[in-house]
Amino acid sequence: MAERAASEGLLTLGVEEEYLLVDAVEPRAVEAVEEMFDHLGEDVRDAVQHEFMRSQIETASPPQLELGGLFDALRRQRTGLAAAAEAAGCRVVAVGAAPAAGPVTRVVDTPRYHRMRERFGDLSPGAGLNGTHVHVSVPDPETGVQVLNFLRPWLPILQAATANSPFFGGRDTTYASWRSMLWERWPTVGPTPYLESYEHYGTLIADLLASGAMLDEGMLYWYARLSANYPTVEIRMGDVCPSLDDTVLLAALTRALVGTIMGDLHDGKRAPDVPHSLLRAAHWRAAHDGLEGANIDMATREQRPAWRLLRQLFDYVRPELDRHGDLELATVLMDRLRSHGTGAARQRALLSQRGEISDVVDWLARSTAGAA
């Protein structure tokens, strides 16, 4: 795969997904991650790891060139998690934050997580917050830093497309992604700053470590960053998506966006230095409205329907979607997203039928396992 990627100028991609564990019958979160690990099959065990809270679990796909391969890998992981959850007496749910009220769960018993809890207190309330992270390969860190600069104006609309946490603690927050608002309480969460160079990137990390705002490089929670472990840029501002359709669309658009940016870099273009305050406003709007409302067109600084901005992004990266062989599938997935709405919209539609959070959690569990 690496040889083909290099010879054809293609980009590999991978996806990490974080999930909530809920009771087998009730919609509340449960501390069941250790029981889950006891029941994981050998075919998925290596792809699964702990997250911060004992009511969370995380998967990571292997690197892929084909969207179909990514879809199959993520489906195996979700199916494997669902089976292990059933054996452990719980359910696995792809949702940004716990929809139902329940007890605060404990952090996973590791020295790092206990240090984080001691230093930062209750910044991750309830049962934990769950996101989607997309990795796209870059040739070197210096190029990766320039890619991060170009990504900044586009990430709010990708965040809007993943909105999947309108409910928290049994109530409607009025936001499409309440996870985003809770997540911003951590000191290093936010838009990536405009970076002068890879050296500048390293200096900012060193400064943040010295300030005590993060314990290690893994706590650099910018919405896009260089991976500390892989030769990739990591895009990490979105909620975990309820269905694989949504996840794979996000991955396809992200890779095509990085590929388009690489072409712009080759042509000598410079990334627009969008004001940080405007980016924060656009990310707030993404969290509040999702795709069902408006967001900010970074070129004109005017409000536009969020869906129109996503179509604008799609058209911008269309040549790269085509070059990677993703255009046909991405077009189908865009049509489905337009038809069904974001996860937040679908959750609210379900709640409107009977007014029961349990209906929402039941649907999320079925969707996560591929049955909805």
Side-chain angles (χ1 to χ4, degrees):
M1 180 175 62
E3 291 177 358
R4 181 187 166 198
S7 65
E8 299 181 24
L10 301 177
L11 305 178
T12 61
L13 78 167
V15 170
E16 298 171 329
E17 293 188 301
E18 300 160 352
Y19 308 97
L20 180 70
L21 306 180
V22 301
D23 184 77
V25 178
E26 300 178 9
R28 59 180 173 82
V30 293
E31 294 185 358
V33 68
E34 301 305 337
E35 291 82 356
M36 284 274 296
F37 270 90
D38 290 342
H39 293 284
L40 286 171
E42 292 298 327
D43 57 332
V44 297
R45 183 179 298 274
D46 290 344
V48 181
Q49 58 190 15
H50 290 88
E51 239 302 311
F52 188 50
M53 308 298 287
R54 300 188 193 192
S55 52
Q56 295 176 280
I57 200 164
E58 181 178 4
T59 63
S61 76
Q64 302 287 336
L65 271 179
E66 307 286 348
L67 275 191
L70 178 66
F71 188 95
D72 290 342
L74 293 174
R75 180 173 55 187
R76 284 194 300 273
Q77 290 171 8
R78 287 190 175 207
T79 301
L81 284 185
E86 183 177 4
C90 65
R91 293 175 289 173
V92 61
V93 174
V95 67
V104 175
T105 59
R106 295 171 293 172
V107 301
V108 169
D109 189 17
T110 69
R112 179 175 184 263
Y113 288 155
H114 284 302
R115 288 198 305 271
M116 289 172 64
R117 177 71 178 183
E118 181 180 356
R119 170 70 63 84
F120 299 101
D122 192 20
L123 290 186
S124 185
L129 308 174
N130 307 299
T132 301
H133 307 161
V134 179
H135 289 256
V136 181
S137 62
V138 290
D140 57 78
E142 196 66 57
T143 301
V145 163
Q146 298 307 315
V147 168
L148 294 179
N149 285 337
F150 274 91
L151 283 171
R152 296 168 77 240
W154 295 105
L155 294 187
I157 199 60
L158 289 176
Q159 178 185 358
T162 70
N164 186 40
S165 50
F167 307 122
F168 184 72
R171 63 183 180 85
D172 191 327
T173 65
T174 75
Y175 280 75
S177 173
W178 189 240
R179 181 203 66 92
S180 297
M181 304 311 297
L182 296 174
W183 185 227
E184 283 189 358
R185 305 191 310 177
W186 288 82
T188 60
V189 171
T192 309
Y194 195 90
L195 302 162
E196 298 171 5
S197 63
Y198 181 53
E199 181 181 3
H200 182 211
Y201 183 87
T203 298
L204 291 178
I205 291 176
D207 289 345
L208 287 169
L209 287 168
S211 75
M214 61 186 198
L215 300 179
D216 52 44
E217 191 171 342
M219 289 190 67
L220 184 69
Y221 297 141
W222 294 340
Y223 293 148
R225 67 183 186 183
L226 301 182
S227 172
N229 301 311
Y230 308 106
T232 64
V233 290
E234 181 184 358
I235 292 84
R236 45 182 297 117
M237 72 293 137
D239 288 359
V240 65
C241 299
S243 73
L244 285 183
D245 283 356
D246 301 337
T247 303
V248 172
L249 176 61
L250 174 66
L253 292 176
T254 300
R255 175 167 66 176
L257 181 55
V258 172
T260 303
I261 289 169
M262 298 276 282
D264 288 344
L265 285 170
H266 183 268
D267 294 340
K269 297 179 181 178
R270 288 183 55 84
D273 188 1
V274 179
H276 198 75
S277 57
L278 186 63
L279 283 177
R280 291 193 65 88
H283 281 288
W284 172 83
R285 198 65 190 259
H288 186 272
D289 289 21
L291 278 183
E292 285 68 42
N295 210 295
I296 302 170
D297 185 329
M298 291 297 169
T300 65
R301 303 191 181 187
E302 297 175 347
Q303 288 192 40
R304 297 276 188 261
W307 178 256
R308 185 182 301 173
L309 293 175
L310 185 64
R311 287 297 320 185
Q312 181 178 317
L313 170 59
F314 188 94
D315 292 339
Y316 175 57
V317 304
R318 181 185 295 270
E320 278 296 307
L321 288 170
D322 193 28
R323 192 173 73 86
H324 279 87
D326 298 343
L327 182 57
E328 182 177 358
L329 179 55
T331 300
V332 171
L333 297 180
M334 277 283 286
D335 288 344
R336 290 180 184 174
L337 180 61
R338 180 59 167 164
S339 174
H340 299 308
T342 61
R346 281 173 267 178
Q347 288 187 52
R348 285 195 169 112
L350 279 166
L351 190 72
S352 69
Q353 295 175 17
R354 291 203 314 151
E356 298 288 343
I357 285 289
S358 59
D359 292 343
V360 173
V361 174
D362 290 347
W363 172 78
L364 285 165
R366 294 195 308 272
S367 184
T368 305

